[in-house]
Amino acid sequence: MNPVVNDFTIKIATVNGSGSQTANHVLMKCFFKMNIPVGAKNFFPSNIQGMATWFTIRVNGKGFVGAKEKSDILINYNPKTLPEDVASMSPEAVLFYDQDAALPEGLDLKGRTAFPIPYKKLMEDLEVPIKYRKLTSNMIYVGVVSAFLKIPEDVLLNVLEEQFNNKATALTLNQNSALKGREYFAQTFSPESQIYQAQGLPFTKQKVLMDGNTASAMGLLYGGCSFVSWYPITPSTSVIETYKEFTQKFRSRDEDNKSRDVIVQAEDELSAICMVLGAGWAGARAMTATSGPGLSLMAEAAGYAYYAEIPAVIWDVQRTGPSTGLPTRTSQGDITFAHFLSHGDTKHVCLFPGTLAECFEFGQTCFDLAERLQTLIVVLSDLDLGMNVWAEEKWAYPERPYDRGKIVTLEDLEKGLKFERYKDVDGDGIPQRTLPGTPHINAAYFTRGSGHSAAAVYTENPAAYQEVTNRLTKKWETARTLVPAPIVTNSEGAAGVLYYGPLDNIVDELKDLLKDQMTLNTCRVRALPFSAEVRKFIEANQKVFVVDQNRDGQMFQLLAMEYPELANKLVSLKYHSGLPMNAENLRKDFAHAISFFI
């Protein structure tokens, strides 16, 4: 039988805290080095060390590397989960398991090939010190599976050298373990058992391999962020930790060799956002990073930012709620809450990055919009995009200048400009602002979160209040023309799919699965408020299937509210298991839904 080349999913079952992540990333990087499209998902518990964890790697020559229902290669190094892991195998899958644990009595492999691996004996043969065996034994299965898939040995060794750069002892131990695994497979099993194979592809374009939180931190650095206050919370913590590392490595220092950046770990999320508002009011590009529970605590301050018109950014890496929910599972469940965060008539501009490149790009865009619009911007990433590793074409560094918005300078005031903080001077709903310390008597104003007039004077006059809030509505309409436009593909198809976040790969695979039946139009929304292109997309399609990773179809609801006259065209497809969506499930639900309409 000819081997299946570059089309398989590997599932690795281990326990939390065992050091398996390093081994899993080494295996993934081997495919990346071979220029084979690859993607990975990490499923880990939010509780204690020793609980079950899974890591999946999908290899697909067409580039469809999103989540998949079944595994083709199962590496089980956690006997407790073996029965459920076997149940998730495809019919043609192969199993690698710990020989010392043996297969549970009555476990039916249904004719699948199983490879027992004597981890303990191989470790003893290598004479690995006991304190290192737990960590380095994971590299045994990397070596075994690399041999099974015919990954060239030099590729594996090259990845190991990069992984353990400047760590000679760790490199030696892990190289020996990986090579021992390769040797064991070659000497023990027949070549006929190698029904899956990885074959290197020609180099086309330079790619990067990283998680979305790292790309976000890089974007914030390039975007001019200079003030961060935050409180740690999964899955956003690494955004700030990585940003801090970047500032220490790449940002200039003052004459005393002190960092010019301010990074403060606050006592809680409310304190964090209040510090951001102070820094944004003072003229800094200021932000905080959080997830759903932290966002909840920021509601009152978010309303203050909106009404007092203070530039600020919240980078929300969404996880599954409500309440504590599932801290290490993904979701798109903060959409409506972030959009209307606070009481009263409040609406916030939201950005939805869907790729590594957009995580990077929006690191500047969020500040440009915050300062141009003088308002709070909420960036809504999610755990899948933020914490999982993605392979993507290398993007260009930004060349456009920062947009600082309407700042009245000393020179403007000396020329006689009349400054009123909350007055619409250009008809776009956006007022002017001065920065604290501007040395002119007319530069000062009161920052009002209570009722205020256009001149920033306290008032409870109904007409003055309506004047300000109506102007904020006008500013909202201006925002439609400034936010990132959706990415739209149109053809002669009768149906469209509207989605947001990191689902390009899943929707592209859905289109491929349905290519013999129909052509789908697609629209990936990248911001709120909706720009004109979103309406045009809905109008152009007979039905638009709105894909949400939340229980209530929050994007579907927002679209129906925005375009009630078009709501009968919208069909909601919802997923809220906490696991990343896959094209197979989307296809089933899409086919079921479309049968009623087209």
Side-chain angles (χ1 to χ4, degrees):
M1 183 177 69
N2 293 326
V4 177
V5 177
N6 294 347
D7 188 13
F8 49 82
T9 296
I10 304 172
K11 184 175 185 177
I12 306 166
T14 56
V15 295
N16 200 29
S18 65
S20 59
Q21 282 291 69
T22 299
N24 300 339
H25 281 95
V26 165
L27 186 55
M28 180 190 183
K29 288 176 182 177
C30 287
F31 303 116
F32 182 74
K33 287 285 185 182
M34 296 169 70
N35 299 311
I36 308 171
V38 62
K41 307 292 182 188
N42 185 24
F43 308 100
F44 59 100
S46 58
N47 292 317
I48 60 174
Q49 179 173 315
M51 295 187 69
T53 183
W54 294 267
F55 191 90
T56 65
I57 302 171
R58 186 174 179 194
V59 170
N60 182 274
K62 292 182 178 181
F64 302 133
V65 294
K68 202 173 181 186
E69 278 278 280
K70 300 291 186 179
S71 61
D72 303 303
I73 301 169
L74 172 61
I75 304 169
N76 180 277
Y77 202 10
N78 180 11
K80 291 182 180 179
T81 65
L82 184 55
E84 64 180 281
D85 294 337
V86 168
S88 72
M89 296 169 68
S90 67
E92 300 80 19
V94 297
L95 166 67
F96 296 86
Y97 69 97
D98 185 356
Q99 179 176 291
D100 294 323
L103 295 175
E105 186 175 348
L107 181 67
D108 186 6
L109 294 179
K110 298 182 179 180
R112 301 182 181 102
T113 303
F115 302 99
I117 309 300
Y119 291 95
K120 182 178 179 181
K121 182 179 184 303
L122 294 177
M123 284 284 99
E124 290 173 349
D125 291 346
L126 287 170
E127 298 181 350
V128 175
I130 292 176
K131 66 178 180 179
Y132 296 127
R133 288 185 183 180
K134 181 179 179 181
L135 298 175
T136 57
S137 65
N138 297 296
M139 211 58 71
I140 292 285
Y141 66 68
V142 172
V144 168
V145 173
S146 70
F148 169 76
L149 292 171
K150 296 185 178 180
I151 295 173
E153 184 176 302
D154 64 315
V155 171
L156 175 60
L157 293 177
N158 180 258
V159 172
L160 287 167
E161 287 174 2
E162 290 185 1
Q163 183 71 35
F164 298 101
N165 184 33
N166 298 323
K167 299 176 183 177
T169 300
L171 175 59
T172 299
L173 288 171
N174 283 279
Q175 276 183 337
N176 290 342
S177 297
L179 292 175
K180 189 69 173 178
R182 288 181 68 92
E183 177 187 60
Y184 175 77
F185 184 87
Q187 293 179 353
T188 308
F189 302 108
S190 166
E192 284 74 29
S193 65
Q194 296 172 269
I195 61 174
Y196 295 99
Q197 186 175 332
Q199 286 184 4
L201 298 176
F203 176 83
T204 53
K205 295 182 180 180
Q206 189 170 359
K207 293 189 175 184
V208 295
L209 188 70
M210 68 173 64
D211 60 75
N213 282 357
T214 299
S216 302
M218 188 183 300
L220 292 167
L221 184 82
Y222 275 85
C225 180
S226 62
F227 183 95
V228 170
S229 58
W230 68 301
Y231 187 81
I233 183 171
T234 301
S236 70
T237 297
S238 62
V239 173
I240 306 304
E241 290 177 339
T242 308
Y243 170 78
K244 182 178 180 180
E245 292 175 7
F246 286 159
T247 61
Q248 292 171 342
K249 186 174 182 180
F250 299 112
R251 281 272 173 86
S252 62
R253 295 176 172 266
D254 63 19
E255 59 274 9
D256 296 322
N257 198 35
K258 292 182 180 179
S259 174
R260 300 178 186 274
D261 296 89
V262 178
I263 302 174
V264 181
Q265 182 174 323
E267 60 266 34
D268 55 36
E269 288 88 350
L270 179 56
S271 297
I273 185 61
C274 287
M275 292 183 198
V276 167
L277 297 187
W281 170 82
R285 291 197 149 193
M287 62 83 63
T288 186
T290 192
S291 192
L295 194 66
S296 299
L297 297 176
M298 297 179 182
E300 184 177 357
Y304 180 69
Y306 174 80
Y307 191 39
E309 299 181 72
I310 300 173
V313 171
I314 299 174
W315 202 281
D316 177 32
V317 186
Q318 300 168 92
R319 70 190 206 188
T320 304
S323 187
T324 306
L326 304 176
T328 59
R329 295 292 184 264
T330 196
S331 176
Q332 295 174 326
D334 298 349
I335 306 301
T336 52
F337 182 58
H339 185 39
F340 300 114
L341 189 61
S342 194
H343 59 279
D345 293 323
T346 305
K347 289 191 289 189
H348 299 294
V349 174
C350 297
L351 303 180
F352 308 116
T355 64
L356 295 180
E358 287 176 354
C359 286
F360 176 81
E361 176 191 343
F362 289 2
Q364 176 175 338
T365 301
C366 64
F367 291 120
D368 286 351
L369 287 171
E371 295 195 300
R372 168 55 54 184
L373 294 167
Q374 297 173 39
T375 194
L376 172 67
I377 306 296
V378 185
V379 182
L380 290 150
S381 178
D382 59 44
L383 185 145
D384 185 21
L385 177 59
M387 294 193 72
N388 284 323
V389 177
W390 302 74
E392 202 170 289
E393 288 184 14
K394 186 177 180 180
W395 55 82
Y397 292 121
E399 296 181 355
R400 72 181 190 273
Y402 297 156
D403 184 352
R404 301 306 308 272
K406 299 180 183 182
I407 297 177
V408 174
T409 66
L410 174 61
E411 183 181 7
D412 295 326
L413 294 169
E414 289 179 338
K415 289 179 179 179
L417 182 144
K418 184 181 179 182
F419 171 59
E420 290 183 305
R421 174 64 181 97
Y422 297 113
K423 183 177 181 179
D424 183 2
V425 294
D426 298 315
D428 57 5
I430 304 172
Q432 297 171 323
R433 63 176 175 141
T434 57
L435 298 181
T438 303
H440 194 284
I441 192 171
N442 294 330
Y445 65 91
F446 285 103
T447 304
R448 292 288 187 185
S450 56
H452 54 261
S453 69
V457 176
Y458 169 73
T459 180
E460 295 187 16
N461 179 278
Y465 171 77
Q466 289 186 34
E467 179 185 348
V468 172
T469 53
N470 286 338
R471 179 183 55 75
L472 290 172
T473 299
K474 186 186 293 185
K475 182 166 72 170
W476 182 254
E477 293 304 314
T478 298
R480 293 186 193 279
T481 67
L482 300 177
V483 297
I487 296 177
V488 177
T489 61
N490 278 317
S491 63
E492 297 300 320
V497 177
L498 185 147
Y499 62 102
Y500 56 105
L503 298 179
D504 279 348
N505 199 270
I506 299 303
V507 174
D508 286 346
E509 187 171 3
L510 171 69
K511 292 169 67 176
D512 186 70
L513 291 171
L514 296 173
K515 64 184 178 183
D516 294 333
Q517 303 168 41
M518 64 186 307
T519 300
L520 291 177
N521 299 327
T522 61
C523 174
R524 177 159 66 83
V525 172
R526 299 197 295 164
L528 291 170
F530 299 119
S531 55
E533 293 89 344
V534 176
R535 170 185 277 278
K536 291 178 182 177
F537 180 81
I538 298 172
E539 291 175 337
N541 287 275
Q542 185 176 337
K543 288 292 177 182
V544 173
F545 296 82
V546 183
V547 180
D548 275 289
Q549 289 192 94
N550 53 67
R551 184 195 66 184
D552 297 333
Q554 294 180 22
M555 182 62 73
F556 169 82
Q557 291 182 26
L558 291 173
L559 289 164
M561 289 171 59
E562 183 77 13
Y563 310 115
E565 70 281 10
L566 300 175
N568 64 336
K569 286 192 166 194
L570 304 176
V571 182
S572 181
L573 299 178
K574 299 171 288 190
Y575 303 84
H576 65 282
S577 68
L579 302 178
M581 192 184 306
N582 66 71
E584 296 149 307
N585 279 341
L586 183 57
R587 178 188 185 182
K588 293 175 188 175
D589 291 346
F590 183 85
H592 177 74
I594 206 169
S595 65
F596 290 96
F597 300 106
I598 296 178

